[in-house]
Amino acid sequence: MDSDMDYERPNVETIKCVVVGDNAVGKTRLICARACNATLTQYQLLATHVPTVWAIDQYRVCQEVLERSRDVVDDVSVSLRLWDTFGDHHKDRRFAYGRSDVVVLCFSIANPNSLHHVKTMWYPEIKHFCPRAPVILVGCQLDLRYADLEAVNRARRPLARPIKPNEILPPEKGREVAKELGIPYYETSVVAQFGIKDVFDNAIRAALISRRHLQFWKSHLRNVQRPLLQAPFLPPKPPPPIIIVPDPPSNNEEHPAHLLEDPLCADVILVLQEKIKIYAHKIYLSTSSSKFYDLFLMDLSEEDQQSVAGHSFGSAAAAAAERVLHQEERHHARDFLLRAASFDICESAEEAGSGQRQPCLRASTSDGILRGNRYENGECGLRRGRDLSSWSRAFMSIQEEMAEDPLTYKSKLMVVVKMDASIQPGPFRAVLKYLYTGELDEKERDLMHIAHIAELLEVFDLRMMVANILNNEAFMNQEITKAFHVRRTNRVKECLAKGTFSGTLQPVGPAPRGREGLDPCGDGHEGVDPHGDGPFDGSAARCPLGPPHTGAKLPATSISGILAAPFRFHPKAWPRVPVP
Ligand SMILES: Nc1nc2c(ncn2[C@@H]2O[C@H](COP(=O)(O)OP(=O)(O)OP(=O)(O)O)[C@@H](O)[C@H]2O)c(=O)[nH]1
């Protein structure tokens, strides 16, 4: 159908819409988006701009454009004639304005000057050439409000002025000017395909309303509405944030072994050969070795003075006592040890011959450790400790000390266990690995020494594992590992049920009589009494953390923090070696 025929069709309203505004605000793109449904990529849009040199009537160009010029708005059939114009202020546009039904006045939301010119230049010009035509204000290039301007500037044609973030106008600015001029306001984006239909449908409405005033007999115009408000633009969702979830700790049995290298929540320092420190966890040691279990449950504060004397035994007496330990009941051994100790001291004094009564002391366990049953701690009062040479051949002493946490570097109360000098670091590490994982590497070099330490620590399964390896029956060790986990699960459950090694503060009450030594801050508050009814827990925070006499419980780290490895349940009870 020829476009001119529209004029001859009754009830088809032909509307001439002139689009004006500053250079490069987006007039042509807006017209093309409506007339040709041209969808261009942002890159195509940004990289090209062909200035309009003459007003054109796009509808005469091709069939598709002609088809798209026809529309129905509020039940009125219209034929929309769009006129593009050049933005040059000095050029004459009077021919374009002639007989126009509506004027679409554009500015760019990224160009404040173009909005300024709306008031100072364009609106007066429109009112001059077509005073009766309704005007619609359009803020183009809306997408730039939400765009990455650096990327946009890079993509724009080389000579284009870069867009600055502070130049981007908020919608209020456009609305303000529109309100001032008494005209409707819309925003568009050719890139986001937003607002194009809004602009032209409402331009048509404005034109039809105006026409209805003049041609009041046209009854088919009675349903035409005033220009409608535009629905707000929903900005594109920002890309989802990149969240990197660290891998969960591996669920296999190797995981606890990592705690030896990376001693999270360590509460024990094992000292080998006076200088090598290995950080460990009471819960792993005690649930895998009954010897460690008894060690950590040992009452350090209630130690009788005999044991204090025990620390000053001569080495000969101690060695003799250790031999007896293997032959007699332990309480007999202790009697012997005490007798031997007093003899040894006397003997040493005589040897000195100078009347100086300096007992031949066993080699000092460390810097100031075991100078008595209770120790001066510069910060917080008394430290507690105990000589273990009479208790086990594997250990020399146990003591509470303020020590630096290996990971947080914060000072905290830890249990320092000095191992016997005969214990070699390499094999001892293999034993520790077993205590954490239930596994023993077949290729371990010093199997005999491992077996020896296992024997001292009463870890008989480990000793059996060594025997299996030596007998070329290492395959049987898998069963031992399985049994290890079953047993340990049971022990952990038991510990959890009883709160053993839980690191939880006990309810605090007034200090019982005769327990003044448990006032670590010397402030009259016992703070915590891990040695009263409950088990020993050197990691539990005491006076500095616990409000005295409040009964408050504070969580600490011992069990819950480190039990990441799976434990399996086994109903069988765990045999314990009684503490001598
Ligand atoms: N981001 C974005 N850029 C646009 C949009 N519309 C137009 N542009 C940009 O504006 C430039 C000019 O667009 P035109 O439509 O040619 O501008 P005009 O107002 O017709 O310019 P003259 O014909 O010179 O008056 C284009 O090259 C595009 O880079 C839009 O919706 N979004």
Side-chain angles (χ1 to χ4, degrees):
M1 187 191 291
D2 182 43
S3 64
D4 288 336
M5 282 179 69
D6 281 342
Y7 289 106
E8 293 155 21
R9 289 170 62 202
N11 294 342
V12 173
E13 300 294 330
T14 299
I15 294 181
K16 176 181 173 182
C17 172
V18 182
V19 182
V20 297
D22 270 10
N23 266 324
V25 294
K27 301 182 294 293
T28 307
R29 301 295 185 192
L30 182 63
I31 290 172
C32 288
R34 171 64 180 81
C36 325
N37 196 23
T39 48
L40 297 168
T41 64
Q42 189 178 32
Y43 177 78
Q44 286 171 318
L45 266 176
L46 294 172
T48 58
H49 170 218
V50 182
T52 309
V53 290
W54 198 250
I56 49 167
D57 182 352
Q58 303 262 8
Y59 290 89
R60 296 180 186 275
V61 178
C62 72
Q63 186 66 24
E64 192 211 334
V65 173
L66 183 65
E67 304 269 315
R68 288 181 59 80
S69 72
R70 298 195 181 110
D71 203 352
V72 176
V73 175
D74 296 341
D75 300 330
V76 180
S77 299
V78 291
S79 170
L80 185 63
R81 308 296 173 96
L82 286 169
W83 284 61
D84 198 357
T85 59
F86 35 70
D88 202 325
H89 292 193
H90 310 294
K91 287 194 177 163
D92 192 350
R93 277 168 290 270
R94 77 178 64 197
F95 72 92
Y97 286 122
R99 295 173 59 101
S100 60
D101 295 300
V102 61
V103 179
V104 170
L105 171 50
C106 297
F107 72 96
S108 163
I109 67 107
N111 181 353
N113 272 341
S114 66
L115 179 61
H116 179 68
H117 294 149
V118 163
K119 276 204 301 188
T120 58
M121 190 271 158
W122 293 107
Y123 195 71
E125 182 181 289
I126 296 164
K127 286 296 142 190
H128 177 76
F129 288 112
C130 43
R132 304 176 76 92
V135 182
I136 300 241
L137 183 63
V138 177
C140 298
Q141 310 185 358
L142 152 74
D143 53 286
L144 293 179
R145 200 177 278 145
Y146 309 95
D148 172 359
L149 290 184
E150 277 183 26
V152 167
N153 285 330
R154 276 197 304 273
R156 272 152 66 94
R157 58 195 188 280
L159 294 178
R161 196 177 59 88
I163 301 167
K164 296 179 192 143
N166 60 355
E167 290 177 346
I168 300 290
L169 296 168
E172 294 75 45
K173 291 282 176 196
R175 262 185 234 128
E176 252 172 48
V177 173
K179 197 175 171 192
E180 219 175 293
L181 302 177
I183 57 180
Y185 176 61
Y186 299 92
E187 290 193 336
T188 62
S189 167
V190 176
V191 174
Q193 289 286 302
F194 176 83
I196 297 154
K197 186 168 164 53
D198 289 330
V199 165
F200 292 107
D201 279 5
N202 288 302
I204 291 169
R205 283 195 179 100
L208 292 179
I209 294 267
S210 165
R211 185 169 296 174
R212 193 170 62 189
H213 286 303
L214 297 172
Q215 302 174 4
F216 53 89
W217 59 90
K218 288 192 167 176
S219 57
H220 61 278
L221 298 181
R222 67 170 173 263
N223 290 333
V224 176
Q225 305 177 69
R226 299 193 162 277
L228 306 177
L229 285 176
Q230 187 177 29
F233 176 69
L234 296 176
K237 279 186 189 164
I242 300 165
I243 301 168
I244 298 166
V245 182
D247 289 338
S250 83
N251 216 16
N252 60 36
E253 288 302 321
E254 275 176 22
H255 175 60
H258 291 157
L259 283 170
L260 284 171
E261 277 106 57
D262 197 13
L264 182 72
C265 305
D267 49 6
V268 176
I269 303 175
L270 300 164
V271 182
L272 272 78
Q273 299 176 345
E274 297 291 331
K275 54 184 183 292
I276 299 168
K277 282 183 182 175
I278 299 176
Y279 292 91
H281 307 83
K282 271 187 223 161
I283 187 65
Y284 277 111
L285 300 177
S286 341
T287 51
S288 312
S289 150
S290 57
K291 203 72 188 164
F292 273 116
Y293 183 92
D294 291 336
L295 176 67
F296 294 132
L297 288 186
M298 199 178 275
D299 189 344
L300 300 188
S301 60
E302 296 294 309
E303 172 73 351
D304 59 13
Q305 293 306 310
Q306 291 166 343
S307 160
V308 181
H311 126 259
S312 61
F313 293 163
S315 54
E322 283 164 6
R323 279 196 296 280
V324 174
L325 271 173
H326 289 276
Q327 296 158 5
E328 297 187 46
E329 291 293 321
R330 291 184 181 209
H331 62 277
H332 290 149
R334 174 179 286 193
D335 289 345
F336 176 85
L337 207 64
L338 292 171
R339 283 197 299 277
S342 50
F343 174 73
D344 193 44
I345 290 168
C346 294
E347 220 174 33
S348 306
E350 277 168 24
E351 273 169 23
S354 61
Q356 296 170 325
R357 288 187 61 81
Q358 284 186 346
C360 173
L361 298 178
R362 185 186 174 113
S364 164
T365 45
S366 83
D367 41 315
I369 293 182
L370 296 180
R371 291 214 184 85
N373 196 32
R374 297 184 173 94
Y375 308 92
E376 282 302 320
N377 177 334
E379 283 173 35
C380 198
L382 296 172
R383 291 186 299 187
R384 301 168 305 158
R386 183 168 174 158
D387 184 277
L388 299 173
S389 53
S390 61
W391 182 69
S392 164
R393 284 197 295 153
F395 304 103
M396 284 168 70
S397 66
I398 181 169
Q399 177 177 328
E400 287 179 355
E401 270 189 37
M402 291 302 288
E404 208 174 63
D405 184 281
L407 295 185
T408 63
Y409 302 111
K410 284 188 183 156
S411 197
K412 69 175 188 184
L413 197 63
M414 292 181 97
V415 175
V416 179
V417 177
K418 300 217 165 188
M419 306 302 297
D420 189 82
S422 65
I423 300 213
Q424 299 291 316
F428 186 65
R429 282 183 198 278
V431 173
L432 279 183
K433 192 180 165 205
Y434 172 82
L435 295 181
Y436 275 59
T437 64
E439 286 167 7
L440 173 66
D441 190 348
E442 274 182 61
K443 292 176 194 132
E444 282 293 347
R445 272 182 288 167
D446 204 347
L447 284 171
M448 293 312 293
H449 207 114
I450 293 171
H452 170 68
I453 299 172
E455 178 111 24
L456 291 181
L457 295 177
E458 297 173 8
V459 189
F460 301 114
D461 280 355
L462 177 58
R463 206 184 49 182
M464 202 185 299
M465 276 182 144
V466 173
N468 287 340
I469 293 171
L470 293 174
N471 294 334
N472 291 327
E473 290 174 338
F475 64 91
M476 289 170 68
N477 288 350
Q478 287 177 3
E479 287 307 310
I480 296 179
T481 300
K482 275 187 201 163
F484 167 92
H485 289 298
V486 169
R487 236 182 2 257
R488 190 168 65 178
T489 304
N490 195 31
R491 290 171 189 173
V492 168
K493 287 193 172 197
E494 192 185 311
C495 287
L496 286 171
K498 290 183 181 169
T500 317
F501 310 121
S502 66
T504 305
L505 290 184
Q506 302 298 316
V508 179
R513 283 178 183 216
R515 297 177 64 82
E516 293 80 8
L518 286 178
D519 175 5
C521 291
D523 59 1
H525 303 136
E526 188 173 350
V528 157
D529 179 12
H531 295 268
D533 308 315
F536 166 81
D537 184 356
S539 73
R542 301 197 298 157
C543 272
L545 294 177
H549 308 298
T550 59
K553 290 191 172 202
L554 292 176
T557 51
S558 301
I559 286 188
S560 52
I562 59 170
L563 286 180
F567 292 107
R568 294 177 213 102
F569 176 74
H570 191 271
K572 220 172 151 190
W574 176 29
R576 291 209 203 112
V577 179
V579 182

